[in-house]
Amino acid sequence: MTSAPVVPDDTGRAAHDSQRVLPSGVSGPLYARLRAQLGTRAVLDVGAGSGLVSWGLTAAGCPVVLTDVVDWRAPVAAGLPFVLADAAALPFADGACSGVHLARVLHHVADWRAVLADVARVLAEDGALCLSLGDRPVVDELRGLLDQASALAERRGLRAAPVAGPDQDSADACLAGLGLVGESSVEFGADVPVTPREVLTAGLGNPFRWLAGEDLTSVPALVAEVLAGAGVDPDRRVLRDRTVRYRTYRRSAGR
């Protein structure tokens, strides 16, 4: 079990959550689509983070169990079942789950192939994996400010976690070797109102961005310094694209 990063307070999580929330007219159909794939038996949300997606899936009718290496659940998800677990060593029996939700996790683990292997192990014969390798990249002024803030944080001593992981073709090939084949893809998106302070705080305050054990209490001051230097109104709301993409996998015949 890896040690948990130091989380400064709820500021980073709240900012992170503000960018994860899609309008109900988009999130409703998204969660309904995922629920139809994941089923209504035991469903794991592996690397659940703040649990906002788990909460949405639960509201759509999925019996979700959250897992992660650190309990970073937001208040809205605090009452959902949670198991502290390494994504590559899930404490569940073979074939125990009708579905696994795995979003924006594989680039933050030591061995993404081991994670996919364990996910395949816990899936039932007719189970589904809903996998997202990440949101559609956003290139804008806020992206540039976040890059500046990240560079400043590293100059001040914060050590970034290694970021590695598969592209879509590599994930597909690995899963095919495990007997899971891509069945369908979905993409849902909307413009989400955010502030520069939220974007930078969410980026720097995410504990999975840094090596385990890093003290993130300096994040609010770093964010304020970068925004002041850029002459940007930290709390002016702007619309920022957020588009999520998933691919669903099921076990191929005879595997």
Side-chain angles (χ1 to χ4, degrees), residues 10 29 64 84 90 92-94 156 175 191 206 230 250:
D10 284 342
V64 180
L84 199 67
L90 297 168
F92 299 92
D94 295 0
R156 298 287 173 80
L175 287 165
D191 288 334
N206 185 340
R250 292 188 185 274

Side-chain angles (χ1 to χ4, degrees), residues 111-199:
D111 186 347
W112 61 268
R113 291 179 176 83
V115 172
L116 291 181
D118 214 45
V119 164
R121 177 188 65 79
V122 302
L123 271 179
E125 285 299 315
D126 59 346
L129 164 64
C130 289
L131 172 67
S132 174
L133 296 180
D135 299 349
R136 185 167 66 194
V138 177
V139 179
D140 59 9
E141 180 185 4
L142 294 180
R143 176 76 253 178
L145 285 174
L146 179 56
D147 290 342
Q148 291 179 37
S150 299
L152 177 61
E154 292 190 45
R155 291 199 299 272
R156 298 287 173 80
L158 287 180
R159 297 169 299 164
V163 177
D167 57 20
Q168 193 66 63
D169 289 343
S170 298
D172 287 350
C174 180
L175 287 165
L178 295 166
L180 298 174
V181 295
E183 181 180 68
S184 61
S185 298
V186 299
E187 184 171 298
F188 285 78
D191 288 334
V192 177
V194 297
T195 70
R197 192 193 306 277
E198 287 173 336
V199 170

Side-chain angles (χ1 to χ4, degrees), residues 58 64-67 73 77-83:
T58 299
V64 180
V65 175
L66 292 69
T67 75
R73 283 176 293 174
L80 299 180
F82 177 84
V83 176

Side-chain angles (χ1 to χ4, degrees), residues 203-227:
L204 297 192
N206 185 340
F208 305 107
R209 188 184 192 96
W210 311 102
L211 289 178
E214 292 293 271
D215 183 352
L216 305 185
T217 54
S218 63
V219 164
L222 290 170
V223 168
E225 182 176 341
V226 169
L227 293 174

Side-chain angles (χ1 to χ4, degrees), residues 3 6 41 86 102 113 127 154 208:
S3 58
V6 176
R41 302 195 307 276
D86 188 321
L102 185 67
R113 291 179 176 83
E154 292 190 45
F208 305 107

